[in-house]
Amino acid sequence: AQSVTQLDSQVPVFEEAPVELRCNYSSSVSVYLFWYVQYPNQGLQLLLKYLSGSTLVKGINGFEAEFNKSQTSFHLRKPSVHISDTAEYFCAVSGGSYIPTFGRGTSLIVHP
Amino acid sequence: EAGVVQSPRYKIIEKKQPVAFWCNPISGHNTLYWYRQNLGQGPELLIRYENEEAVDDSQLPKDRFSAERLKGVDSTLKIQPAELGDSAVYLCASSRVSGRAMGEQYFGPGTRLTVT
């Protein structure tokens, strides 16, 4: 079985500050990893994905994530956030079952 | 290209009433998913279709939920009868690839169901 843990339910940050949203996973097989963003009253939008190759993955809107196999982590980072980044962020993993499992989400709140 | 289309966007019904949600995936995407997202939670898979075949439906409460994708394109998810605990957002997603890369999905805006 696979699982995803998003360690922070809410992350408040000031505009233009850096941010890291944490994600840890467990799986008995090699995995593909994803980060999605969900704005209010909208569906999920893919931010970035790790399938193979370089462990540093760059996505849309200036976000990046690093796959760390030894720590089973896939943390999401942005060096300088904007008010418009306020949203819910979901980490997801797909492994042996091929069905993606989502974390519970982290609410990023950017203050002016 | 057009995104995943869902309707209605919002639905309020009384318990024990039936309700149906419709989804049209992105053209060319053979895999279609229905998820339920409870407040403050991530999406949970209800059913996955490969073309018109339901290949993962273990999480679908089959006593009251049903789904169909007759021609392998659009899909309908039905609840009959609805219960208070069914209040949630129902998300439809589609993907072009298979295998573990199925996580690369495209989501519709969802249908917010409120059962009173």
Side-chain angles (χ1 to χ4, degrees), chain A residues 30 36 41 49 94 98 104, chain B residues 9 41 100 102-104:
Chain A
S30 59
Y36 285 85
N41 298 316
K49 61 189 178 189
S94 61
Y98 291 3
R104 296 184 63 168
Chain B
R9 290 293 312 275
Q41 303 288 322
R100 283 177 291 167
M102 281 192 297
E104 186 176 357

Side-chain angles (χ1 to χ4, degrees), chain B:
Chain B
E1 62 182 2
V4 176
V5 179
Q6 289 188 249
S7 67
R9 290 293 312 275
Y10 304 91
K11 189 74 177 179
I12 301 174
I13 61 171
E14 295 182 345
K15 63 181 180 182
K16 300 185 181 180
Q17 294 301 304
V19 65
F21 314 124
W22 178 79
C23 171
N24 194 33
I26 292 173
S27 177
H29 284 197
N30 296 327
T31 307
L32 182 147
Y33 315 74
W34 282 104
Y35 288 89
R36 177 168 57 192
Q37 185 178 22
N38 292 312
L39 190 63
Q41 303 288 322
E44 295 177 322
L45 183 71
L46 291 173
I47 190 168
R48 173 173 72 96
Y49 283 93
E50 291 288 347
N51 299 304
E52 65 274 10
E53 182 182 1
V55 294
D56 286 293
D57 63 354
S58 59
Q59 300 303 311
L60 191 72
K62 297 182 182 63
D63 57 334
R64 298 183 300 107
F65 285 66
S66 65
E68 61 183 15
R69 193 185 183 199
L70 294 176
K71 296 184 179 178
V73 181
D74 59 339
S75 175
T76 302
L77 177 69
K78 298 178 181 178
I79 308 175
Q80 183 172 11
E83 297 179 352
L84 294 176
D86 296 330
S87 294
V89 176
Y90 290 83
L91 295 166
C92 179
S94 68
S95 67
R96 180 173 50 83
V97 296
S98 59
R100 283 177 291 167
M102 281 192 297
E104 186 176 357
Q105 300 171 65
Y106 295 82
F107 283 80
T111 297
R112 182 177 298 276
L113 174 66
T114 302
V115 182
T116 63

